Amino acid sequence: MAFYLRLYLFAVPVFFVVDLVWLGVVAPSLYQHHIGHLLADQVDWTAAISFYLIYTAGILVFAVAPGLVSGSLRRTALSGAGFGFFTYITYQLTNRATLPDWPWEIVWVDTLWGVVLCTVVAVMAHLIGKRIG
């Protein structure tokens, strides 16, 4: 248990930094263009930090831990990609179903980002886990 707690403490900032590059550098104009009218003026940091803490735990539980147990970086990467796909597409399709004019472009681009993000974080956490384990 102590091993996974240490790994979690390494993985949270990895997830935050990788996602921050997307949110702060790559995608702002995309989101502003398509859903700017829905974006808050201020980030709800309680919700954002809660998301990062919970989601990182999900990546560790569903992708990294099984990959480390099996000794397979490939399994970690595939499980991370799958976790990213299913969680992000669920969120996006829920938005599409419930929010007027939620754009299909955001559905696909954001889902692809979820796959990339979770794969990168899972692989990095796996490598960190092998190092600290």
Side-chain angles (χ1 to χ4, degrees), residues 36 38-48:
L38 296 173
L39 297 175
D41 292 331
Q42 298 280 0
V43 173
D44 179 341
W45 285 106
T46 301

Side-chain angles (χ1 to χ4, degrees), residues 98-112:
T98 61
L99 299 173
D101 303 320
W102 189 263
W104 279 108
E105 184 173 354
I106 294 296
V107 170
W108 302 123
V109 170
D110 209 52
T111 299
L112 179 60

Side-chain angles (χ1 to χ4, degrees), residues 29-71:
S29 60
L30 174 76
Y31 291 131
Q32 191 61 45
H33 174 73
H34 288 288
I35 57 171
H37 63 288
L38 296 173
L39 297 175
D41 292 331
Q42 298 280 0
V43 173
D44 179 341
W45 285 106
T46 301
I49 291 168
S50 297
F51 166 77
Y52 283 108
L53 295 175
I54 293 165
Y55 202 83
T56 302
I59 294 170
L60 292 179
V61 168
F62 294 107
V64 180
L68 286 172
V69 167
S70 70

Side-chain angles (χ1 to χ4, degrees), residues 5 29 64 88 91 99 124:
L5 179 57
S29 60
V64 180
Y88 272 69
Y91 171 76
L99 299 173
M124 291 178 75

Side-chain angles (χ1 to χ4, degrees), residues 69-114:
V69 167
S70 70
S72 173
L73 181 61
R74 178 180 164 86
R75 179 173 179 179
T76 295
L78 290 174
S79 296
F83 184 75
F85 174 77
F86 285 108
T87 55
Y88 272 69
I89 197 68
T90 300
Y91 171 76
Q92 289 300 322
L93 292 176
T94 299
N95 285 345
R96 178 75 187 166
T98 61
L99 299 173
D101 303 320
W102 189 263
W104 279 108
E105 184 173 354
I106 294 296
V107 170
W108 302 123
V109 170
D110 209 52
T111 299
L112 179 60
W113 171 243

